[in-house]
């Protein structure tokens, strides 16, 4: 099971808490998935409304680790301020850091992300940066103090899966001992299984579950796929090949002329 900043988590699945049709459906999705971490929008809780209080009570009842996020932040100052608010609201140093650089693709701003990560790590935060699969950006984030990286699979909410398998595989190979989590863009359990087959430690998703016709069933499907992918990676799978190879031995068979 994955270990983030010295804390072992019982599941490779991180599950978001937005867009569910009801609190009961959200709770059932977490129960059936066994997700070990819930990501929570800081902005929703910062409103201080009665509905926000009820939501926070529900999250506490889930009995999972809380990972606040700076979703929607487009500048370093905004992201740092939101993270500081999160530490007060949720009483945790964990923060999923998002600094969005492109409004259409919601691609992270690599320059702002590294700067914000350096500030927050210096303030004692345990930063989970939402980033791309770029190796240079990854190096800069590690230099800033991050001990986990969360590269995107595809743009947030698209359900496209792993758009750049080569890049994700290269990131895993370059940092063999670093906790890596595929964050965003997954739409099907098979996408999650693929991430685990590449050797990733976990996945983070929200829309694929929350917007499914049966969110709880989809959450369970992702959990099972993650286990399958983890087992496959650990089993040292065969390498793909260009030529066919018979699976039935031909030695000892009769040959008719």
């Amino acid at each position: 099971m994955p270990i983030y900043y010295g804390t072992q988590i019982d599941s490779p699945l991180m599950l978001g808490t937005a867009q569910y049709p009801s609190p009961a459906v959200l709770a059932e999705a977490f129960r059936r998935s066994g997700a070990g971490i819930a990501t929570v929008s800081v902005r929703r809780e910062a409103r201080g409304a009665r509905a926000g209080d009820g939501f926070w009570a529900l999250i506490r009842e889930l009995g999972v680790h809380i990972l606040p996020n700076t979703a929607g932040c487009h500048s370093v100052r905004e992201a740092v301020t939101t993270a500081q608010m999160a530490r007060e609201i949720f009483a945790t140093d964990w923060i999923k850091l998002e600094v969005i650089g492109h409004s259409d693709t919601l691609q992270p701003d690599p320059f702002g992300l590294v700067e914000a990560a350096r500030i927050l790590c210096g303030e004692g935060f345990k930063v989970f940066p939402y980033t791309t699969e770029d190796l240079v950006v990854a190096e800069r984030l590690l230099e800033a103090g991050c001990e986990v990286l969360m590269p995107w699979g595809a743009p947030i909410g698209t359900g496209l899966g792993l758009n750049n398998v080569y890049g994700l595989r290269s990131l895993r190979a370059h940092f063999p001992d670093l906790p890596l989590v595929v964050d965003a863009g997954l739409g099907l359990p098979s996408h999650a299984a693929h991430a685990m087959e590449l050797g990733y430690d976990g996945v983070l998703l929200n829309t694929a579950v929350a917007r499914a016709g049966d969110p709880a069933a989809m959450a369970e499907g992702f959990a099972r796929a993650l286990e399958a992918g983890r087992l496959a990676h650990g089993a040292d799978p065969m390498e793909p090949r260009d030529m066919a190879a018979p699976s039935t031995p031909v030695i000892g068979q009769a040959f008719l002329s």
Side-chain angles (χ1 to χ4, degrees), residues 148-222:
V148 178
L149 295 179
M150 303 181 73
W152 66 347
I156 295 171
T158 61
L160 293 172
L162 307 185
N163 272 1
N164 185 359
V165 174
Y166 170 80
L168 292 171
R169 184 182 288 115
S170 298
L171 195 66
R172 177 73 285 175
H174 198 73
F175 303 105
D177 301 318
L178 182 72
L180 295 176
V181 179
V182 171
D183 176 13
L186 304 186
L188 294 169
S190 57
H191 299 155
H194 194 183
M196 298 300 286
E197 289 165 2
L198 293 176
Y200 275 69
D201 298 278
V203 303
L204 192 160
L205 54 100
N206 190 159
T207 307
V209 168
R211 290 300 189 183
D214 186 339
M218 184 63 77
E220 183 178 343
F222 269 98

Side-chain angles (χ1 to χ4, degrees), residues 21-65:
S22 73
V25 171
L26 185 156
E28 182 65 8
F30 269 85
R31 186 189 69 80
R32 289 181 60 175
S33 70
I37 293 176
T39 61
V40 182
S41 170
V42 177
R43 294 189 170 198
R44 174 177 3 191
E45 294 309 300
R47 295 173 186 169
R50 185 181 301 274
D53 293 338
F55 175 79
W56 178 219
L58 171 64
I59 297 302
R60 286 199 302 267
E61 291 173 0
L62 295 176
V64 299
H65 292 269

Side-chain angles (χ1 to χ4, degrees), residues 66-126:
I66 304 300
L67 179 60
N69 66 55
T70 63
C73 293
H74 291 258
S75 70
V76 173
R77 181 179 180 181
E78 190 178 15
V80 169
T81 300
T82 302
Q84 292 167 341
M85 292 171 56
R87 182 151 60 182
E88 294 183 11
I89 295 171
F90 299 103
T92 178
D93 291 329
W94 283 20
I95 190 73
K96 179 194 169 188
L97 178 62
E98 296 184 26
V99 182
I100 301 301
H102 194 278
S103 57
D104 289 335
T105 64
L106 301 181
Q107 177 174 327
D109 172 1
F111 309 102
L113 182 66
V114 172
E115 183 180 349
R118 183 174 292 110
I119 293 171
L120 292 174
C121 288
E123 294 183 1
F125 281 90
K126 295 176 174 62

